[in-house]
Amino acid sequence: MPHYHFNVKRREGTLLDPDGMNLPDEAAARGHALHVMSELMRNANVRTRAWRLTVIDENRGACFEFLFASYDDSMAHLTPELRTSVETICRRHALLTDAIVDVRTTMLQIKGTLARSERRPYVAAENGRDCS
């Protein structure tokens, strides 16, 4: 049975699902992901709209990703055009967040490379993973 992990990507970083769960197929993983998102949004505020739930398989390959804003029932009263605008803004905000995280990771890698070239000790990690 396939094994899936459900990671939450947010501005402060990615919350990794260390255990994951066995599900029969990708359709079941999608259903579980939507359930997880609805639970996370239950008591959430508007800041979670740019969060994403990324589902990865046992080989750490990305299967799919859901933007919270696309499933936010609190926006049901908005016109379709306005709701689409909010979703677009949230998606762009999420992409900008990804770019900032990538730049930070690259900076840590550069610092590690420079430290090694000068034969100085340097350890850098993000989310428990080596960045050097």
Side-chain angles (χ1 to χ4, degrees):
M1 186 173 288
H3 194 78
Y4 297 94
H5 294 267
F6 301 85
N7 300 326
V8 178
K9 295 174 93 175
R10 55 195 189 119
R11 191 176 91 183
E12 298 82 10
T14 301
L15 298 174
L16 299 175
D17 173 10
D19 302 324
M21 69 183 324
N22 292 325
L23 294 165
D25 55 24
E26 198 168 298
R30 284 181 184 277
H32 182 72
L34 292 173
H35 175 74
V36 168
M37 281 181 30
S38 69
E39 289 295 315
L40 291 171
M41 286 191 294
R42 183 180 309 245
N43 297 314
N45 59 28
V46 296
R47 292 180 189 227
T48 63
R49 288 184 182 151
W51 289 10
R52 286 148 305 147
L53 185 70
T54 302
V55 179
I56 59 175
D57 62 20
E58 60 233 14
N59 299 319
R60 301 289 186 205
C63 297
F64 49 87
E65 181 175 273
F66 290 123
L67 177 69
F68 277 48
S70 299
Y71 299 90
D72 187 352
D73 293 334
S74 71
M75 295 193 308
H77 66 284
L78 300 177
T79 64
E81 295 83 15
L82 188 54
R83 184 177 177 117
T84 300
S85 294
V86 171
E87 287 180 31
T88 300
I89 289 167
C90 290
R91 187 170 287 107
R92 289 179 180 169
H93 180 270
L95 291 171
L96 178 60
T97 299
D98 285 348
I100 291 168
V101 167
D102 289 345
V103 168
R104 286 181 181 154
T105 301
T106 300
M107 292 301 296
L108 289 173
Q109 290 170 338
I110 289 170
K111 288 179 182 180
T113 301
L114 290 173
R116 281 194 305 276
S117 73
E118 296 169 355
R119 301 193 190 288
R120 289 184 296 126
Y122 183 83
V123 177
E126 187 170 329
N127 287 330
R129 286 179 280 165
D130 182 16
C131 292
S132 54

